[in-house]
Amino acid sequence: MIVLTGELILEFLKNLENHLRNLREELDISQVEELITSINSSKNIFIMGAGRSGFVAKAFAMRLMHLGYSVYVVGETVTPKIKKDDLLIAISGSGETSSVINVAMKAKSMVGSKVAALTSNKNSSLARLSDVVVTLKGKVKTEKDEKISKLAPLGTMFELTSLIFLDALVAELLNMKGLDEEDLKERHAILE
Amino acid sequence: MIVLTGELILEFLKNLENHLRNLREELDISQVEELITSINSSKNIFIMGAGRSGFVAKAFAMRLMHLGYSVYVVGETVTPKIKKDDLLIAISGSGETSSVINVAMKAKSMVGSKVAALTSNKNSSLARLSDVVVTLKGKVKTEKDEKISKLAPLGTMFELTSLIFLDALVAELLNMKGLDEEDLKERHAILE
Amino acid sequence: MIVLTGELILEFLKNLENHLRNLREELDISQVEELITSINSSKNIFIMGAGRSGFVAKAFAMRLMHLGYSVYVVGETVTPKIKKDDLLIAISGSGETSSVINVAMKAKSMVGSKVAALTSNKNSSLARLSDVVVTLKGKVKTEKDEKISKLAPLGTMFELTSLIFLDALVAELLNMKGLDEEDLKERHAILE
Amino acid sequence: MIVLTGELILEFLKNLENHLRNLREELDISQVEELITSINSSKNIFIMGAGRSGFVAKAFAMRLMHLGYSVYVVGETVTPKIKKDDLLIAISGSGETSSVINVAMKAKSMVGSKVAALTSNKNSSLARLSDVVVTLKGKVKTEKDEKISKLAPLGTMFELTSLIFLDALVAELLNMKGLDEEDLKERHAILE
């Protein structure tokens, strides 16, 4: 049996609280407006991310489904062909994940769909090819910082920040649509 | 470097040919009629299977999407609540896979949706609770047979037979709907 | 084009900051000690959750793999039979998700493996059958609260809190093992 | 209620029987030898495919796990970094699926792992970059043939043929390793 002071857990939580405070102050609301407008004006929404950003993407896709949007996850079984009137939301901290960039380029070049990026890097390949970009700070995988690397290694800060941001976005969408929790429950899977 | 006679591969293939010949002779067309009627009269179709039968389920679900049906895989991200007018297709060789039975029971008891089973065992728990049953021979996991166990262990024969049967069903559905390959391509994912 | 004040996003973030402050104050470090001891003394670790808790489970599983643990996600392709010396970590806010309870019961009754629960509800069916329980506050799906329901509907608070907690746990495990970010990178998938 | 003659189902099955007979006569056993040698001499095996070929890939990966191989599916949660001594098996009928080619190129260029292709097209981009190629006939997605297109549209014939071939390969591997069904059961997931 180990003896745990829990010091690192507390440090991690404090660090994240600071991070969220920064997010509140630095979030570019005009970017969020553009993202919401794209979501609400598209016929179908396709979402993708690789690795842990992929799980963030799926968690957001599930909520969009609960909200009544027609939404698909790239790579899942029933995902159809993306069309011109559809939106692809791509999540990548570095904005340089090759599979995500390849898919985003295909969506633009093959059918001309709109692409929205959620990324830490506004100068990345992904951001440059996207129609809408929401930038979220978060140590991205390619940065170095001794202390934060040990506390929140690799893409951890971006992944947490993007899931938190997207859940905050859900609150906005829920309110805009005049829905409440009961409406979400009405669509929430019971076979699981 | 091994030296391979390939004898077992050839034996496996011959065995499967015999199996398909039996399937042709023994398939109960009235069961298939019922399944097609259920598929065509339901609002949404939910599909599930565990393990390798789950991959068969997904391969069929993808084709139903290509054919224009509203179809979901149980457990995937954008799968909504099943409703009364929906159909659940459950695939289980033994008909005793607990997770599959639990989901089928929930679909019946919580919302009263229709359940169709694809199974080797017409007396199984799954078959007994289902509204429509299509039985497909195939050594199921609980049977014993020295030779076949070494050639096609566990549920192999059922899994192959069910994927083949469902692809044959797709040919019927394609013809009934008056569609052709181009229509399927029009829905086939390009982001993958 | 909408005009967005972003008020709800800011409210959501403030709410989460408060929630994290509470988490820091109320986290039972002895429960965390038990969880870490179980993780470090098990041969293989199996992880599961349903819905959005399932994505949290996968995000944690991926980091455990990066840290060098032998870890599997229940329901994924290469997941083998669980054995007596293995640990199942089950994530469920309500602790009453039937598929999660069924799997946890199977793990205990069929092979006698250890079960650890991450839940909001220490009196739930899941918590009661588990050997180790870490409780994390978070409005669980069955509670009602007008305001929080609109800001963070359904399991949102639990899902965020559990992902955050598990990433904080990763910081502890990283430190205990004397590893750094480079070690994680050495295991991080490059094919994605 | 429809009236079904089942004619197309029978035609589909006869067609597949012919296809399997051809497979028996035309399979290049030396290619299969090379594939088996690669499987048995690699430290870890990574498997991938897109769309329905992806489900075939997963069904084979699951059996390799049952046989005791260290195997991973590209894109699943616990899949680590591929290394020089590992093998990537890529499944693509056309051999031109861009995501599959990109991953295969990465495996070769970034770490120098061995790549084996299962494809209908021995002149494809995938085949040309692979160290080992097993060719399986099967109308591939880009071919045209009025009748077969209606019976077995898109990649159907390749997908079925490759799953059947890989299950035949499992029979060879089972025999070579001197294992039987009980050994597979010992590794077969019970939590599902």
Side-chain angles (χ1 to χ4, degrees):
Chain A
M1 190 74 188
I2 55 150
V3 177
L4 188 73
T5 63
E7 205 183 309
L8 280 170
I9 292 178
L10 301 184
E11 201 177 333
F12 181 96
L13 293 174
K14 263 188 233 171
N15 201 291
L16 184 60
E17 283 168 51
N18 292 336
H19 200 79
L20 293 182
R21 207 152 26 234
N22 288 341
L23 180 62
R24 265 199 286 134
E25 285 157 15
E26 295 177 13
L27 188 67
D28 182 340
I29 293 293
S30 69
Q31 292 182 333
V32 185
E33 267 180 15
E34 278 190 79
L35 178 59
I36 291 179
T37 302
S38 302
I39 287 173
N40 285 330
S41 61
S42 299
K43 206 169 163 200
N44 302 289
I45 302 163
F46 290 69
I47 308 204
M48 90 164 306
R52 286 172 40 114
S53 292
F55 303 133
V56 171
K58 288 180 174 182
F60 181 52
M62 192 176 275
R63 275 290 184 265
L64 288 184
M65 178 271 285
H66 293 158
L67 283 162
Y69 292 95
S70 173
V71 58
Y72 299 102
V73 174
V74 173
E76 286 201 341
T77 305
V78 301
T79 304
K81 190 177 196 164
I82 193 169
K83 299 279 172 76
K84 201 176 165 22
D85 296 338
D86 297 337
L87 170 69
L88 172 68
I89 302 178
I91 306 180
S92 168
S94 69
E96 301 296 346
T97 314
S98 63
S99 60
V100 175
I101 296 171
N102 289 337
V103 162
M105 283 198 302
K106 263 191 179 178
K108 285 213 75 68
S109 65
M110 291 177 72
V111 295
S113 23
K114 191 177 256 196
V115 175
L118 198 61
T119 180
S120 282
N121 185 354
K122 69 172 196 284
N123 299 312
S124 60
S125 306
L126 178 64
R128 274 183 282 118
L129 70 80
S130 296
D131 302 287
V132 177
V133 178
V134 176
T135 46
L136 294 178
K137 235 179 230 169
K139 189 189 77 67
V140 297
K141 282 190 218 168
T142 49
E143 283 173 30
K144 294 256 169 192
D145 181 300
E146 195 63 24
K147 199 187 149 197
I148 188 72
S149 286
K150 296 214 157 180
L151 215 48
L154 303 171
T156 301
M157 278 321 257
F158 174 75
E159 292 141 16
L160 285 176
T161 309
S162 56
L163 182 58
I164 290 165
F165 165 71
L166 291 168
D167 274 338
L169 196 66
V170 167
E172 290 281 1
L173 296 172
L174 189 74
N175 178 58
M176 271 180 195
K177 294 195 144 222
L179 300 176
D180 64 21
E181 203 171 29
E182 290 307 308
D183 300 299
L184 304 192
K185 264 187 202 157
E186 199 42 49
R187 298 195 189 86
H188 192 289
I190 52 172
L191 307 182
E192 54 177 19
Chain B
M1 188 74 186
I2 55 150
V3 178
L4 187 74
T5 64
E7 207 183 308
L8 279 170
I9 291 178
L10 301 184
E11 202 178 333
F12 182 95
L13 293 173
K14 265 189 231 170
N15 201 291
L16 184 60
E17 284 169 50
N18 292 336
H19 199 80
L20 293 182
R21 208 153 25 236
N22 289 341
L23 179 63
R24 264 200 287 132
E25 285 158 15
E26 294 176 14
L27 188 67
D28 183 341
I29 294 293
S30 69
Q31 290 182 336
V32 184
E33 268 180 15
E34 278 190 80
L35 178 59
I36 291 179
T37 302
S38 302
I39 287 173
N40 285 331
S41 61
S42 299
K43 206 169 163 200
N44 302 289
I45 302 163
F46 290 70
I47 309 202
M48 88 164 307
R52 284 173 42 114
S53 292
F55 303 134
V56 170
K58 288 180 175 182
F60 182 52
M62 192 177 274
R63 275 291 184 264
L64 288 184
M65 178 272 284
H66 293 158
L67 284 161
Y69 292 94
S70 173
V71 58
Y72 299 102
V73 174
V74 173
E76 286 201 340
T77 306
V78 301
T79 304
K81 190 178 197 165
I82 194 169
K83 299 279 172 76
K84 201 175 163 24
D85 296 338
D86 296 337
L87 170 69
L88 172 69
I89 302 178
I91 305 180
S92 168
S94 69
E96 301 295 347
T97 313
S98 63
S99 60
V100 175
I101 296 171
N102 289 338
V103 162
M105 285 198 301
K106 262 191 179 178
K108 286 212 76 67
S109 66
M110 290 177 72
V111 294
S113 24
K114 191 176 255 196
V115 175
L118 199 62
T119 181
S120 283
N121 185 353
K122 68 172 197 284
N123 300 312
S124 59
S125 307
L126 177 64
R128 275 182 281 119
L129 71 81
S130 296
D131 303 287
V132 176
V133 178
V134 176
T135 47
L136 295 177
K137 236 180 230 168
K139 189 191 74 67
V140 297
K141 283 190 216 168
T142 50
E143 283 173 30
K144 292 259 170 191
D145 180 301
E146 194 64 23
K147 201 186 146 197
I148 188 72
S149 286
K150 294 214 159 180
L151 216 47
L154 304 172
T156 301
M157 277 322 256
F158 174 76
E159 292 141 16
L160 286 175
T161 308
S162 57
L163 182 59
I164 290 164
F165 164 72
L166 291 168
D167 273 338
L169 196 67
V170 167
E172 291 281 1
L173 296 172
L174 189 73
N175 178 58
M176 272 180 194
K177 295 195 142 220
L179 300 176
D180 64 21
E181 202 172 31
E182 290 307 310
D183 299 299
L184 304 193
K185 263 186 202 158
E186 200 43 48
R187 297 196 191 86
H188 192 290
I190 52 171
L191 308 182
E192 54 178 20
Chain C
M1 189 74 189
I2 54 152
V3 177
L4 188 74
T5 64
E7 207 182 307
L8 280 170
I9 292 178
L10 301 184
E11 202 177 332
F12 182 95
L13 293 173
K14 265 188 232 169
N15 201 292
L16 184 60
E17 284 168 50
N18 291 336
H19 200 80
L20 294 182
R21 206 151 29 232
N22 288 342
L23 180 62
R24 266 199 285 132
E25 284 158 15
E26 295 176 13
L27 189 66
D28 182 341
I29 293 293
S30 70
Q31 291 183 333
V32 185
E33 268 181 14
E34 278 190 79
L35 178 59
I36 291 178
T37 303
S38 301
I39 288 173
N40 285 331
S41 62
S42 299
K43 204 169 165 200
N44 302 290
I45 302 163
F46 290 69
I47 308 204
M48 90 164 306
R52 286 172 41 113
S53 292
F55 304 133
V56 170
K58 287 180 174 181
F60 182 52
M62 192 175 275
R63 274 292 184 265
L64 288 184
M65 179 271 285
H66 293 158
L67 283 162
Y69 291 95
S70 173
V71 58
Y72 298 103
V73 175
V74 173
E76 286 201 342
T77 305
V78 301
T79 304
K81 190 178 197 164
I82 193 169
K83 300 278 173 77
K84 202 176 163 22
D85 296 339
D86 297 337
L87 170 70
L88 172 68
I89 301 178
I91 305 180
S92 168
S94 69
E96 301 295 347
T97 313
S98 64
S99 60
V100 175
I101 296 171
N102 289 337
V103 162
M105 284 197 302
K106 263 190 178 179
K108 286 213 75 69
S109 66
M110 291 178 72
V111 293
S113 21
K114 190 176 257 197
V115 175
L118 198 61
T119 181
S120 282
N121 185 353
K122 68 174 197 284
N123 300 311
S124 60
S125 307
L126 178 63
R128 273 181 283 118
L129 70 80
S130 296
D131 302 288
V132 176
V133 179
V134 175
T135 47
L136 294 178
K137 235 181 229 168
K139 189 191 75 70
V140 297
K141 281 190 218 170
T142 49
E143 282 173 30
K144 294 260 169 189
D145 181 300
E146 196 62 24
K147 201 187 148 197
I148 189 73
S149 286
K150 296 215 156 180
L151 216 48
L154 303 171
T156 301
M157 279 322 258
F158 174 75
E159 292 141 17
L160 285 176
T161 309
S162 56
L163 182 59
I164 291 165
F165 165 71
L166 291 168
D167 273 338
L169 196 66
V170 167
E172 291 281 1
L173 296 172
L174 190 73
N175 179 58
M176 272 180 194
K177 294 194 143 222
L179 300 176
D180 64 22
E181 203 171 30
E182 290 308 310
D183 300 298
L184 304 193
K185 264 189 201 155
E186 199 43 49
R187 297 195 191 87
H188 191 290
I190 53 171
L191 307 182
E192 54 177 19
Chain D
M1 188 76 186
I2 55 151
V3 178
L4 188 75
T5 64
E7 207 183 307
L8 280 171
I9 291 178
L10 302 183
E11 202 178 331
F12 182 96
L13 293 174
K14 265 189 230 168
N15 202 291
L16 184 60
E17 284 169 49
N18 291 336
H19 200 81
L20 293 183
R21 206 151 29 233
N22 288 341
L23 180 62
R24 265 201 285 132
E25 285 157 14
E26 294 176 12
L27 188 66
D28 183 340
I29 293 293
S30 69
Q31 291 182 336
V32 184
E33 268 180 17
E34 278 189 80
L35 178 59
I36 291 179
T37 303
S38 302
I39 288 172
N40 285 331
S41 61
S42 299
K43 205 168 164 200
N44 302 289
I45 302 164
F46 290 70
I47 308 204
M48 88 164 307
R52 286 173 41 114
S53 293
F55 303 134
V56 170
K58 288 180 174 180
F60 181 53
M62 193 176 274
R63 275 292 184 266
L64 288 184
M65 177 271 283
H66 293 159
L67 284 161
Y69 291 95
S70 172
V71 58
Y72 299 102
V73 174
V74 173
E76 286 200 342
T77 307
V78 301
T79 304
K81 190 178 197 164
I82 194 169
K83 300 278 173 78
K84 201 175 164 23
D85 296 338
D86 296 337
L87 170 70
L88 172 68
I89 302 179
I91 305 180
S92 168
S94 69
E96 301 296 347
T97 313
S98 63
S99 59
V100 175
I101 296 171
N102 289 338
V103 162
M105 284 198 302
K106 262 189 180 179
K108 286 212 77 68
S109 66
M110 290 177 71
V111 294
S113 21
K114 191 177 258 198
V115 175
L118 199 62
T119 180
S120 283
N121 185 354
K122 68 173 197 284
N123 300 311
S124 60
S125 307
L126 178 63
R128 274 181 283 119
L129 71 80
S130 295
D131 302 287
V132 177
V133 179
V134 176
T135 47
L136 294 177
K137 236 181 228 168
K139 190 190 76 67
V140 295
K141 280 190 218 170
T142 50
E143 283 173 30
K144 292 258 169 191
D145 181 300
E146 194 63 23
K147 201 187 147 196
I148 188 72
S149 285
K150 295 214 157 180
L151 216 49
L154 304 172
T156 301
M157 279 321 259
F158 173 75
E159 292 141 16
L160 285 176
T161 309
S162 56
L163 182 59
I164 290 165
F165 164 72
L166 291 168
D167 273 338
L169 197 66
V170 167
E172 291 281 2
L173 297 172
L174 190 73
N175 179 58
M176 271 179 195
K177 295 195 142 219
L179 300 176
D180 64 21
E181 204 172 29
E182 290 308 309
D183 300 300
L184 304 193
K185 264 187 203 157
E186 199 43 49
R187 296 195 191 88
H188 192 290
I190 52 170
L191 307 183
E192 55 178 16

